Amino acid sequence: MLRYGIMGTNWLSHIYFDAIHAAGDQVAAVCSRSLERARELGGDGTLAYDDLDEMLKNPDIDVVYLCIPNVLHADAAIRCLKAGKHVLCEKPAARVYSEALE
């Protein structure tokens, strides 16, 4: 079983939240700029964060799904990878070649 952290709480996050559970995996945490929205998506039993770096400290997260605006993908993906997390990122992972190299 994979344990996910979801970054972002838009409409697509809700679809992935349900899909993760349907696949037999777990959403361990949700992170949003709004702690209230993170709690709404996660519900009971799912940790809520309003800071990505704090969520990345959680050893119970294997994969972070980035459901945030494209312009934020590279920075968040790099932070996740440096924290030892796998990353599921919608396209594009980076806006420019130099971001992709990093």
Side-chain angles (χ1 to χ4, degrees):
M1 173 177 67
L2 292 173
R3 301 165 300 176
Y4 282 81
I6 296 178
M7 178 64 187
T9 52
N10 64 44
W11 65 272
L12 197 51
S13 302
H14 293 262
I15 292 170
Y16 272 92
F17 185 93
D18 294 339
I20 289 166
H21 285 284
D25 292 324
Q26 175 191 11
V27 177
V30 175
C31 184
S32 174
R33 291 176 295 176
S34 163
L35 195 54
E36 181 180 332
R37 286 195 308 263
R39 288 181 179 135
E40 284 175 14
L41 175 58
D44 294 335
T46 302
L47 297 174
Y49 294 90
D50 60 2
D51 182 285
L52 175 60
D53 294 316
E54 287 301 313
M55 184 176 82
L56 293 175
K57 293 176 185 177
N58 185 334
D60 294 328
I61 295 173
D62 304 307
V63 182
V64 177
Y65 167 61
L66 299 178
C67 194
I68 54 180
N70 293 349
V71 69
L72 303 175
H73 283 181
D75 176 65
I78 290 166
R79 287 160 60 192
C80 292
L81 293 168
K82 285 182 176 179
K85 308 299 183 187
H86 297 277
V87 179
L88 176 60
C89 182
E90 297 174 8
K91 62 181 188 323
R95 295 175 300 145
V96 294
Y97 183 68
S98 60
E99 285 181 345
L101 287 177
E102 190 176 346

